[in-house]
Amino acid sequence: MFTSTTRGVIALGAVLGLATLTGCADDTPAASADDGTGPVSVKATDSACDLSRRDVKSGTSTFSVSNGGSKVTEFYVYAEGDRVMGEVENIGPGLKRDLIVELPTGKYQAVCKPGMVGDGIRGDLTVAGGAAAQVDEDTLLKQATDSYQRYVNSQAVALEQKTTEFVTAVKAGDVAKAKALFPVSRTYWERIEPVAESFGDLDPKIDARVNDVEPGTEWTGYHRIEQALWVSNTTKGMEKYADQLLTDVKTVVAKAKVVKLNPLQLANGAKELLDEVATGKITGEEDRYSHTDLYDFQANVEGSQAAVQALRPALQARDAALVTSLDTNFKAVFAAVDKYREGDGFKPYQVSEAEKKELSRVVDGLAEPVSKVAGVIAKK
Amino acid sequence: MTEGKGISRRGLFGAAGAAVATGVAGYAAHSVLTGEESQAADNTGPVEFHGPHQAGIVTPVQDRLHFAAFDVTTTKRDDLIALLTEWTAAAALMTAGRDIGQYGAVNGPDEAPPEDTGEAIGLPPARLTLTIGFGPSLFDQRFGLAAKRPKALVDLPHFIGDDLDPNRSGGDIAVQACSDDPQVAVHAIRNLARIGFGRVAVRYSQLGFGRTSSTSKAQATPRNLFGFKDGTNNLKLEDTDKLEQQLWVQPEDGPDWMVGGSYLVSRRIRMNIEIWDRTSLGEQETIIGRGKGTGAPLGKADEFDAIDFAAKTSDGEPKVPMDSHVRLAHPQFNKGAELLRRGYNFVDGSDGLGRLDAGLFFLAYQRDPRKQFIPIQNQLARSDTMNEYIHHVGSGIFACPAGVTPGTYWGEKLFT
């Protein structure tokens, strides 16, 4: 449980001025971004990520993403080091969503992630036209928090959507579907766990393991339902926990959408996500009935990377060697967990002690440089 | 084997006959309390085994621990009594720095295995104390003790986050061996276990290599493996009034056999050392509620300054955070409950993931766990930010009877 880093610092209530907006394109046609260049059309399928053009002008761009594949997909614009400039989550088959994003001059990657896992299908994106922005450090840090808050926002939206689907399957008595959705809905939770967990007692209600529960208190949340699904192979009796889960998740999502974070919280959150991997996921304690720990593992590391990479421009100016080390070690962790891929997900986490030790080694190797980020950011 | 025999470990080879051993009397010159005070400075001498209270509780904490929990394997009450009698005699010898048995380690017949295992030959008594406690499971039907189970010897409840290994928890009998020499402590447990074969079996044991608290104002406060001073506000032997209120079972508490005794709670607390080490200094200090260097409460200068729970930072936040360890564990927020802690740092090598299998073997004595350890731990388990860096993996609770008088055995009143 991560109540510590954000203790007493997160102020609620201020709505973010979002630089990125996402919405369903079939509601209202997206307004043309600026000077008539028009949206970039993105045709996403299970095996391709085709952009109508790969050169855009600096300033605000719109990407109109349609999913022609059979898998739920995600679309990202990454700056160097997979720094998230903008993203749309949870685009179902046949759906179309817009990403509106502010992009300064530079080299980027446009990425579709069919099945929502892995490196995705990547292609270059060049932004030209404006002068390369010269910004001071305060601006870099402000951009970092803005960027990460956009990430939190989009994850929160997807968390609510996927949890709704999971809860619906549980209440419909569809055990197979509920089992399939369990690790997927948790992915969004795990990516932003430090933020979600900063909201006091919601975390234990949503994510407590059985031994985290005080005698006399009812065990609720994901893992309560997980136990029924995998141990008893049933959804019977889970209806009320499903309803409660969705209510609690909606509360978290509402709070996460308006959370105000500072750069140190990003850095500490990135570190805490790796602590979570080290203590809960590598040991297999998190998802002890479903053995879907590797989904959570991957999501924690992705969330950590999103926070670290948001800080990347500021870090690059202060400690370029640390940035190199972070890049190398994030790659090593993703490579290690990729060994366990199966289909669009992961094999059950029932691995040998030697394999656990290998995962532990790469996570420790990454956690050490990540733990140094806060100190570098705090330096005046 | 009777008390008063035994071979002095020092000068052993000079005194070939060995029957010259004079027993423990030579060391037992001073009273319990004055002895303990003077012994804080001398780490080689003996601690008196006999007395109104068992040694090893308020005794200024020694540097090393070997703790063992035993399952009683015999079903015969007489066997158990015989064992306790033999153990008591051996304990009196070993705490006096003597070999056990008639012949000791090297003076017996060639054809027989030595009575004493011998690794303490040449070592001083090193303030060895041996303290015994009886677990709830001893009070079942096997030995007719069910009616004698103290009400305060409850089964500990599940605390939030408990991840207890049954093989590191419970036990019918516990023996705490503390000494300033690690080999002396190990020697004691090893020999008691050997005496017990066939009647008791070791359920688990734990080595501790460094004390994590002080039980005397003459001792400096040591550091735990988080690198923080631990036990600053511990109960100390000089707090004589408080010891009666908080530590020793009083006549009105009952049962009679426990009066003058105390209840021990043991917890094997695993620390996530590597993760703690990646945590910023400021975060570490707000988790504990003390400065790492000085040990002073946050906002104060000296380790022993009173904690100001009302003090606020310029942001209006409490200087000692609401979920800091010192606040949650403080008597002020626990209806005045205190504990006498004498836990130890442990590192049992590393685990399968290449991380230190390290932490704190928590030992705390108290008058009534229902009013002390249990409510305090409930509060900590619920709210302590430190829980992100620790988990409790072993647990025990034991009723430690009053001290032994010469000619009686450990816990004799329980059987009479």
Side-chain angles (χ1 to χ4, degrees):
Chain A
M1 280 173 258
F2 289 111
T3 51
S4 55
T5 328
T6 42
R7 179 199 300 127
V9 190
I10 289 180
L12 300 178
V15 179
L16 288 178
L18 290 180
T20 303
L21 300 168
T22 61
C24 287
D26 44 11
D27 291 346
T28 334
S32 180
D34 47 287
D35 57 4
T37 52
V40 177
S41 158
V42 181
K43 304 283 183 210
T45 66
D46 293 349
S47 59
C49 186
D50 295 327
L51 274 65
S52 57
R53 66 177 186 281
R54 292 186 177 274
D55 295 285
V56 298
K57 291 185 73 173
S58 67
T60 307
S61 289
T62 301
F63 296 85
S64 188
V65 187
S66 55
N67 184 2
S70 63
K71 297 172 181 175
V72 175
T73 195
E74 297 170 341
F75 179 73
Y76 294 82
V77 175
Y78 283 144
E80 189 182 10
D82 289 0
R83 177 160 65 101
V84 178
M85 301 301 291
E87 56 166 331
V88 220
E89 300 283 343
N90 193 29
I91 312 167
L95 287 184
K96 192 173 179 186
R97 286 174 192 267
D98 279 2
L99 168 67
I100 304 171
V101 58
E102 177 87 21
L103 294 173
T105 297
K107 296 275 189 195
Y108 300 88
Q109 286 198 308
V111 183
C112 299
K113 286 193 185 176
M116 306 188 304
V117 289
D119 262 1
I121 303 163
R122 294 174 176 237
D124 291 338
L125 179 71
T126 305
V127 178
Q134 294 294 318
V135 290
D136 61 25
E137 289 206 331
D138 286 349
T139 309
L140 286 179
L141 292 176
K142 174 72 169 58
Q143 288 174 348
T145 53
D146 286 353
S147 155
Y148 184 68
Q149 280 168 169
R150 288 196 296 275
Y151 177 81
V152 169
N153 194 69
S154 66
Q155 298 302 319
V157 169
L159 171 63
E160 184 172 330
Q161 291 169 343
K162 280 293 163 195
T163 306
T164 303
E165 290 177 35
F166 171 63
V167 160
T168 304
V170 170
K171 293 181 74 181
D174 191 339
V175 172
K177 193 171 182 191
K179 281 183 174 178
L181 283 164
F182 171 79
V184 178
S185 60
R186 287 184 55 76
T187 292
Y188 300 102
W189 169 266
E190 294 286 339
R191 281 177 180 164
I192 56 170
E193 202 168 8
V195 176
E197 288 180 338
S198 66
F199 306 125
D201 57 359
L202 283 164
D203 168 52
K205 287 170 78 179
I206 292 171
D207 200 30
R209 281 92 58 108
V210 62
N211 55 313
D212 296 330
V213 181
E214 192 171 8
T217 308
E218 190 168 33
W219 180 30
T220 60
Y222 278 119
H223 297 299
R224 178 74 190 84
I225 301 172
E226 178 199 2
Q227 188 196 45
L229 287 173
W230 272 272
V231 176
S232 313
N233 207 36
T234 184
T235 60
K236 280 205 188 80
M238 290 299 108
E239 295 78 6
K240 66 169 179 168
Y241 300 116
D243 284 335
Q244 185 63 46
L245 174 63
L246 187 55
T247 304
D248 293 336
V249 162
K250 280 181 174 170
T251 309
V252 162
V253 165
K255 292 184 174 195
K257 282 179 181 173
V258 295
V259 73
K260 295 293 284 181
L261 298 166
N262 65 41
L264 272 182
Q265 289 172 320
L266 265 59
N268 287 326
K271 178 244 176 205
E272 288 174 0
L273 279 160
L274 298 177
D275 293 349
E276 267 289 288
V277 175
T279 55
K281 275 70 178 191
I282 283 175
T283 55
E285 289 165 46
E286 181 75 39
D287 302 308
R288 60 189 66 168
Y289 312 110
S290 62
H291 304 297
T292 54
D293 305 84
L294 288 168
Y295 290 81
D296 296 41
F297 184 125
Q298 167 93 5
N300 283 160
V301 180
E302 286 169 344
S304 178
Q305 188 187 34
V308 166
Q309 295 301 348
L311 293 164
R312 183 190 179 94
L315 285 175
Q316 185 73 48
R318 295 176 180 203
D319 190 342
L322 179 60
V323 172
T324 306
S325 170
L326 289 165
D327 286 352
T328 308
N329 285 293
F330 269 114
K331 276 202 185 103
V333 172
F334 286 124
V337 75
D338 274 348
K339 292 179 190 163
Y340 301 96
R341 286 201 175 281
E342 188 174 73
D344 287 338
F346 292 96
K347 290 177 188 163
Y349 191 58
Q350 287 163 316
V351 303
S352 71
E353 289 303 307
E355 288 170 315
K356 278 185 191 175
K357 189 170 182 179
E358 171 64 10
L359 289 169
S360 177
R361 185 184 67 74
V362 292
V363 169
D364 280 341
L366 172 61
E368 199 58 37
V370 167
S371 74
K372 295 196 169 88
V373 170
V376 173
I377 290 298
K379 253 185 250 163
K380 293 290 174 203
Chain B
M1 188 166 51
T2 56
E3 255 168 66
K5 289 191 179 176
I7 315 292
S8 172
R9 297 196 298 243
R10 282 182 159 176
L12 175 75
F13 300 105
V20 297
T22 55
V24 297
Y27 286 111
H30 30 234
S31 75
V32 174
L33 195 62
T34 55
E36 279 159 353
E37 281 164 348
S38 65
Q39 283 151 8
D42 172 14
N43 291 343
T44 59
V47 173
E48 173 59 49
F49 176 70
H50 298 104
H53 304 299
Q54 288 197 70
I57 300 176
V58 294
T59 306
V61 186
Q62 302 92 326
D63 285 335
R64 321 286 181 165
L65 168 78
H66 193 180
F67 180 92
F70 296 88
D71 291 325
V72 180
T73 52
T74 180
T75 53
K76 297 196 182 83
R77 181 182 165 105
D78 287 348
D79 281 355
L80 178 57
I81 291 171
L83 171 76
L84 290 169
T85 308
E86 290 169 41
W87 267 6
T88 305
L93 289 168
M94 290 190 289
T95 53
R98 296 178 182 280
D99 282 5
I100 64 165
Q102 186 178 355
Y103 301 108
V106 292
N107 291 301
D110 282 350
E111 296 77 11
E115 291 167 314
D116 185 289
T117 55
E119 72 272 30
I121 293 171
L123 298 177
R127 299 203 304 129
L128 174 69
T129 55
L130 292 164
T131 313
I132 199 166
F134 303 119
S137 52
L138 189 70
F139 297 86
D140 58 11
Q141 300 309 312
R142 287 174 292 169
F143 311 107
L145 298 174
K148 295 217 168 183
R149 177 171 172 175
K151 287 194 168 59
L153 186 67
V154 293
D155 294 306
L156 291 175
H158 173 87
F159 299 101
I160 299 175
D162 271 5
D163 187 14
L164 303 181
D165 176 354
N167 295 318
R168 291 188 192 274
S169 299
D172 293 329
I173 301 177
V175 178
Q176 169 198 283
C178 296
S179 168
D180 287 315
D181 185 310
Q183 188 131 320
V184 168
V186 168
H187 170 261
I189 293 296
R190 175 179 173 185
N191 281 273
L192 294 182
R194 183 177 174 214
I195 292 168
F197 283 127
R199 294 175 289 189
V200 292
V202 175
R203 182 175 173 85
Y204 55 93
S205 75
Q206 179 69 52
L207 288 176
F209 70 84
R211 66 185 174 93
T212 61
S213 59
S214 311
T215 53
S216 165
K217 290 178 178 170
Q219 291 184 299
T221 310
R223 290 178 187 269
N224 60 30
L225 291 181
F226 282 152
F228 277 77
K229 289 189 178 181
D230 200 342
T232 297
N233 277 341
N234 203 20
L235 280 177
K236 306 223 163 85
L237 72 91
E238 294 86 354
D239 306 325
T240 45
D241 288 349
K242 261 196 190 169
L243 297 183
E244 298 303 322
Q245 295 159 21
Q246 302 274 353
L247 180 66
W248 304 121
V249 175
Q250 301 295 311
E252 64 266 31
D253 300 339
D256 286 349
W257 70 268
M258 268 301 288
V259 173
S262 192
Y263 294 93
L264 168 64
V265 170
S266 63
R267 306 282 287 181
R268 186 174 191 271
I269 304 173
R270 175 80 191 268
M271 290 173 168
N272 299 326
I273 296 281
E274 291 78 7
I275 290 170
W276 177 262
D277 294 345
R278 296 196 277 261
T279 302
S280 70
L281 176 62
E283 175 84 1
Q284 291 184 7
E285 291 183 337
T286 55
I287 288 170
I288 304 292
R290 290 184 180 276
K292 193 165 187 176
T294 58
L298 293 181
K300 297 286 183 177
D302 182 79
E303 180 194 345
F304 294 98
D305 285 346
I307 308 177
D308 184 352
F309 291 111
K312 297 270 169 60
T313 65
S314 53
D315 301 333
E317 296 292 328
K319 281 186 178 168
V320 180
M322 299 306 287
D323 49 8
S324 62
H325 189 74
V326 290
R327 180 186 286 265
L328 294 166
H330 197 273
Q332 188 176 327
F333 304 102
N334 289 284
K335 297 181 179 165
E338 298 187 51
L339 298 167
L340 185 134
R341 287 166 285 155
R342 49 174 18 258
Y344 286 83
N345 294 324
F346 70 85
V347 177
D348 293 349
S350 43
D351 65 13
L353 299 177
R355 297 172 182 161
L356 292 184
D357 183 357
L360 174 69
F361 194 71
F362 173 93
L363 296 166
Y365 289 87
Q366 60 217 284
R367 181 176 166 186
D368 188 342
R370 295 169 299 177
K371 296 175 183 163
Q372 294 167 275
F373 177 78
I374 292 172
I376 294 171
Q377 181 56 23
N378 263 324
Q379 175 152 285
L380 289 171
R382 203 178 294 126
S383 309
D384 193 355
T385 320
M386 192 195 283
N387 293 332
E388 290 171 26
Y389 302 91
I390 59 173
H391 52 292
H392 290 231
V393 295
S395 179
I397 181 169
F398 303 95
C400 306
V404 180
T405 51
T408 67
Y409 60 88
W410 262 333
E412 184 170 321
K413 283 185 184 165
L414 175 58
F415 296 90
T416 52

